[in-house]
Amino acid sequence: MTETPVDEGPGLGLDAPSQPAAVETEYRVLARKYRPQSFTQLIGQDAMVQTLGNAIKRDRLAHAFLLTGVRGVGKTSTARLIAKALNCIGPDGEGGPTISPCGECEPCVAISEGRHIDVVEMDAASHTGVDDVREIIEAVRYSAVSARFKVYIIDEVHMLSKNAFNALLKTLEEPPPHVKFLFATTEVNKVPVTVLSRCQRFDLRRIPAERLVEHFRWVVGEEGAESDEEALALIARAAEGSVRDGLSILDQAIAHGTGGITAQQVRDMLGLSDRGAVRRLFGQLLEGDAQAVLATVQEQHDLGTDPAALFRGLLETCHGIVRSKVGGAADPALSSEERAAYADWAAGLGFGALHRIWQLLLKGLHEVETAPMPIEAAEMALLRIVHAAGMPDPGELAKKLENGEIAAASAPAAPGGAPGAGPEGAMPADFPALIAFLEAQGAHMMAVRLHDQVGLVRYAPPALVIKPLQPMGEDELREIAALLKDKTGAHWTVETSDGPAEPSLLEREKAAIDAERQSVLDSPMVKAAFEAFPDAELTDYKLAQGR
């Protein structure tokens, strides 16, 4: 095929200069074809470009730069642009370092084509050893052959071995004036601090979804294709801030369809769940319709939807409802129907319910991803949400109990009797009474655990909020709730909190004993005895009756 020059447009440029019209070239994927050739084409990194521009104008260039960020945001492309900016001589051959390299002079062209002898690129993933770094150390002593600066670009620098880093330190700290080092990495935490301290660091940001949509729209136009906005928004969301990932998906989408890129096409290609089905399933979960939930899950499974993708769709729905409730900016990938549905749910659901659904969905996603039978795990996790949806909100229930709007739940079971046959048909009056009740019911171990290991945050039967003094997992909380239900006949909710709590009953008893002992030590008779016998110890005491 024959390639023609591509206009710069609002986004990324070419990976290499355009070939003459008569030259046949191989097809290049979009991620390479639309790489930036100037800083004006580098999207989403305005702060870094401004800093570099000011440094070049004021001749305050560092000898080493470290570029870090997630995949596909332009680290290696930026390193090549810096190399061009440092070595550009302008169309007339008289220019100096500039933030706007001309792209026409021999250094610019040679660097773009990857053939400049003084710009050396090294992949640290395949050149990890000290011998590879030793070659660089030996070469930096010699001046550049034809460029202003000799530039070393080391990609994925965190892959260098410890010895390789150590060998590079001295040269990196005091390189010859004609040498510049440009490092790129996705895992900056693996780069030694001794190296970080010798570099000027730039953190490249994820590209916002709105900016990616704008860029992808331009690329689609350049490619002579068509697409709808929702499809581009879905691709931008799937890219997660990475231009390269997004362009790879877009490349696949253009090849996938013949009549333009549609949202449904992108969903099918990426294995995303049908958003209409997800909304229908979310509504069924809220209604507590177990049969409808199972039917929808089976329907999506028959269509080839991954159960994990279904849960991710439900999580996105829950997140969208919460954002709608707090007035957050609308997701550009949402259709008008989705926005309307989210607004309706946001008006009818409280934050507590939404947060519980989120936690249950998150737990369900983990179970689906790790279970040997994903579809069964998905059904069980969703049925758990169905049953939770029918339970009253613990906070609202506690308020109603306190206000006397509803009677206390089922009474405690009498020893050896059925639930509801407890003393005066009421719940234990307070937390100590609850522990005494459990002891009387034969639940000695649980009574000791609640007595010794928890502080009380709120006691509003059948709701109990505690602050564990030792780590306590969800299984233990369910065990406590199940035992309380068995002994009282009521459905208890047992939760933990990190907020203020009363001391445990054991701590209160110890404090009372200490206070009593101190009162004995402070009595005039005991003080006089200690003054007469300084080496005496109080080993035991007995208070007189009435005290």
Side-chain angles (χ1 to χ4, degrees), residues 18 54 82 87 141 161 187 241 253 267 275 307 325 362 385 391 432 434 436 445-446 450 465 479 510:
S18 302
N54 293 338
I82 295 175
N87 288 314
R141 296 184 298 171
S161 66
E187 300 184 51
R267 291 192 187 96
R275 299 182 77 85
K325 193 170 182 66
L362 206 59
I385 298 175
M391 295 177 63
L434 176 68
M445 296 300 295
M446 184 62 69
L450 295 177
V465 182
E479 180 186 350
K510 288 181 177 180

Side-chain angles (χ1 to χ4, degrees), residues 317-434:
T317 300
C318 185
H319 176 256
I321 296 171
V322 173
R323 284 184 62 88
S324 177
K325 193 170 182 66
V326 300
D331 187 338
L334 297 180
S335 64
S336 58
E337 293 84 359
E338 286 176 301
R339 292 191 179 95
Y342 288 1
D344 290 342
W345 277 325
L349 292 171
F351 284 111
L354 288 169
H355 290 313
R356 284 200 304 277
I357 293 172
W358 172 268
Q359 292 296 331
L360 289 169
L361 286 172
L362 206 59
K363 179 178 175 59
L365 175 61
H366 175 71
E367 292 174 354
V368 168
E369 291 178 334
T370 57
M373 299 178 293
I375 186 63
E376 285 84 353
E379 291 178 346
M380 294 300 294
L382 292 175
L383 288 176
R384 185 164 61 226
I385 298 175
V386 167
H387 297 143
M391 295 177 63
D393 179 84
E396 293 298 323
L397 182 61
K399 290 180 182 178
K400 290 181 180 181
L401 284 170
E402 291 175 0
N403 297 335
E405 297 180 26
I406 58 176
S410 306
E424 300 181 3
M427 288 286 192
D430 52 27
F431 188 54
L434 176 68

Side-chain angles (χ1 to χ4, degrees), residues 105 111 143 381 412 535:
C105 63
I111 293 171
S143 299
D535 296 331

